[in-house]
Amino acid sequence: MDREGLLLHLEGELLMTSQDVILGILMETSCSGYDIKHKFETLFSHFYNASYGTIYPTLSRMEKSGLITKESVVQAGKPTKNIYTITEQGRRAFYHYLESELGEVEIKSDFMIRMYFGALAQPELVSKWLTEGIRNTERALAVLYEERERSQAILSPTQRICLNIGITNQENLLQQLEAGLSELGS
Amino acid sequence: MDREGLLLHLEGELLMTSQDVILGILMETSCSGYDIKHKFETLFSHFYNASYGTIYPTLSRMEKSGLITKESVVQAGKPTKNIYTITEQGRRAFYHYLESELGEVEIKSDFMIRMYFGALAQPELVSKWLTEGIRNTERALAVLYEERERSQAILSPTQRICLNIGITNQENLLQQLEAGLSELGS
DNA sequence: AGACTCATGTAAGTCGTTACATGATTAC
DNA sequence: GTAATCATGTAACGACTTACATGAGTCT
């Protein structure tokens, strides 16, 4: 009886975690936790982020489980840093992630939520949000433009797609926000 | 000594949570947990989501703290449902959220991460991701177009901005993905 | 004098997901 | 007969953020 019973959750989703992203970064070049955070804030900013409170404990855990190795580098005039390098086991773990099922986009946009409920707020508040949204988008675009300038020649084909998606998306967003602001202001 | 010490974290960020979004939904109309989930999957899908495992416990907590009231509605041929209605205290809490500082966009896109590391994957895998991405985007667009058809006339100005951003973003994404796929395929 | 960059880490707590548990009705 | 829709809820667990803690060097 019940031949299908007893824990049949073998196909659990196993979504992308910080560990997978860190493995990918270390596939390209060895990094410190600080370097990784910097990449999150520049290269990955429009599709991923994680705080130091995630990065450092994750790196420790990964070292313990043999996915990466640590090397302490003493520097003159700067704090000592820990450079992490991926191991063969780490590479296998990364390829395993690439073979796994594609996960959904997870997004929580406070700005869009406020826009949706904008009719319940005072018009000045909505204008403030739009102005702030425009400023944020311009800042994000500046980072992306700079990245394109700096690394266009060395980008892989898929990185170029990635960057194009980011840039066109932010440009579109900026245009919509500006149109919205002038529409509401009139 | 140390007159600035002793817990000076009075300006904690207090980011948007599910509770704020649920309050916003209930500002417009009373809903069951099931109805709220449905709204998340249609109206909010491209900028917010939450599972039943968040919605139901949040509704219970909100009722206990007096932000909403519950009414059980017995239905013929369907399960009994709990309809939640916002209270005056709940309205105040929502206005308080609207006055709070605008939070950053939180985004984790497995798809974009894979694109970024695409050079490390086999070309067929990348094509599969792109094809899947195109399918997902088309599905999202269909939902948005349908929403525009159904409710264009009754949308508030900011909801129209919201919908325009969603549609133009997805259209742009679709275009970029298709361009990317044909570029890689050749 | 103050701000920023470089650099690492922990502790407490929040927030949220997944899987489990149930079950009638309707549509194909 | 099988899938989808309608409907609610809990328990275990995982992932992540914030605040705290420290500190030298450089730039304005």
Side-chain angles (χ1 to χ4, degrees), chain A residues 1-171:
Chain A
M1 68 288 275
D2 196 36
R3 86 185 88 154
E4 298 236 59
L6 307 174
L7 309 182
L8 249 190
H9 45 65
L10 299 170
E11 21 74 61
E13 279 288 312
L14 280 162
L15 257 57
M16 168 192 67
T17 61
S18 298
Q19 176 168 306
D20 300 314
V21 186
I22 291 174
L23 284 174
I25 292 171
L26 297 179
M27 285 289 284
E28 294 182 320
T29 169
S30 295
C31 282
S32 68
Y34 190 83
D35 295 335
I36 289 168
K37 177 63 177 163
H38 186 248
K39 283 181 190 254
F40 283 167
E41 279 168 359
T42 54
L43 309 178
F44 294 75
S45 63
H46 62 288
F47 55 86
Y48 197 83
N49 201 15
S51 64
Y52 286 123
T54 296
I55 295 167
Y56 288 121
T58 301
L59 285 168
S60 296
R61 212 183 332 109
M62 288 166 77
E63 196 209 348
K64 262 171 220 145
S65 61
L67 301 172
I68 58 178
T69 56
K70 179 166 82 173
E71 188 197 357
S72 283
V73 177
V74 180
Q75 302 175 108
K78 283 181 189 172
T80 295
K81 62 180 171 182
N82 300 328
I83 298 291
Y84 292 95
T85 301
I86 196 164
T87 62
E88 193 47 45
Q89 201 194 323
R91 279 171 210 279
R92 278 201 302 274
F94 182 71
Y95 288 126
H96 184 260
Y97 155 66
L98 290 183
E99 300 283 348
S100 74
E101 244 187 87
L102 181 60
E104 300 273 300
V105 182
E106 279 169 63
I107 180 163
K108 309 228 155 154
S109 170
D110 191 4
F111 175 79
M112 292 294 261
I113 289 287
R114 285 170 198 246
M115 276 297 114
Y116 190 85
F117 294 122
L120 301 167
Q122 290 162 322
E124 310 84 57
L125 211 44
V126 176
S127 296
K128 204 187 86 180
W129 297 334
L130 279 165
T131 307
E132 214 168 320
I134 288 169
R135 186 158 36 79
N136 290 342
T137 308
E138 283 170 339
R139 230 190 305 118
L141 261 180
V143 172
L144 291 170
Y145 286 147
E146 210 229 290
E147 196 196 329
R148 185 165 61 181
E149 282 308 303
R150 193 174 41 75
S151 55
Q152 195 163 24
I154 57 166
L155 289 178
S156 72
T158 54
Q159 281 174 344
R160 212 166 295 130
I161 292 172
C162 206
L163 191 55
N164 283 340
I165 290 174
I167 288 175
T168 55
N169 254 308
Q170 297 292 320
E171 283 174 343

Side-chain angles (χ1 to χ4, degrees), chain B residues 56-140:
Chain B
Y56 288 121
T58 301
L59 285 167
S60 296
R61 209 181 337 106
M62 288 166 76
E63 196 209 348
K64 262 171 219 144
S65 60
L67 301 171
I68 57 178
T69 55
K70 178 167 83 172
E71 187 197 356
S72 283
V73 177
V74 179
Q75 301 175 107
K78 284 182 190 173
T80 296
K81 62 181 173 181
N82 301 326
I83 297 291
Y84 291 94
T85 301
I86 196 163
T87 62
E88 194 47 45
Q89 202 194 323
R91 279 170 210 278
R92 277 200 301 273
F94 182 71
Y95 289 126
H96 184 261
Y97 155 66
L98 290 182
E99 300 283 347
S100 73
E101 243 186 87
L102 181 61
E104 300 273 299
V105 181
E106 280 169 64
I107 181 164
K108 308 228 154 152
S109 170
D110 191 5
F111 175 80
M112 292 295 258
I113 290 287
R114 286 170 198 247
M115 275 299 113
Y116 189 85
F117 294 122
L120 301 167
Q122 291 163 320
E124 309 85 56
L125 210 45
V126 176
S127 296
K128 205 186 86 179
W129 296 334
L130 279 165
T131 307
E132 214 169 319
I134 289 168
R135 186 158 37 79
N136 290 342
T137 308
E138 282 171 340
R139 228 188 309 119

Side-chain angles (χ1 to χ4, degrees), chain A residues 172, chain B residues 46 141 144-146 148 161-173:
Chain A
N172 168 67
Chain B
H46 63 288
L141 261 180
L144 291 171
Y145 286 146
E146 209 229 288
R148 184 165 61 181
I161 293 172
C162 205
L163 191 55
N164 283 341
I165 290 174
I167 288 175
T168 54
N169 256 309
Q170 297 292 321
E171 283 173 342
N172 168 67
L173 181 58

